[in-house]
Amino acid sequence: MPDKITMINLVWTAMIAVMLTATVTLYQDKSDFGDVNYPQVTGRYNDLSYY
């Protein structure tokens, strides 16, 4: 039977693999950023001389 550290490493690696797979699966359709449904926040900078 593998020791405790090996089991923890295997479980940790499996969790990371599952999370990466879920992320790729969930965000597969949302790769294009041109179709934005919310207004873009813009800012303006005015260069004023105080002297």
Side-chain angles (χ1 to χ4, degrees), residues 2-23:
D3 59 342
K4 191 184 291 187
I5 294 175
T6 305
M7 289 302 295
I8 290 172
N9 285 336
L10 287 174
V11 170
W12 183 258
T13 305
M15 283 176 43
I16 297 297
V18 167
M19 286 191 287
L20 283 174
T21 305
T23 302

Side-chain angles (χ1 to χ4, degrees):
M1 181 168 176
D3 59 342
K4 191 184 291 187
I5 294 175
T6 305
M7 289 302 295
I8 290 172
N9 285 336
L10 287 174
V11 170
W12 183 258
T13 305
M15 283 176 43
I16 297 297
V18 167
M19 286 191 287
L20 283 174
T21 305
T23 302
V24 169
T25 304
L26 289 174
Y27 290 103
Q28 206 168 18
D29 299 333
K30 301 181 181 189
S31 61
D32 54 341
F33 293 103
D35 187 24
V36 180
N37 294 328
Y38 54 87
Q40 183 178 1
V41 178
T42 59
R44 294 183 180 171
Y45 175 72
N46 293 327
D47 189 15
L48 299 175
S49 176
Y50 294 104
Y51 299 105

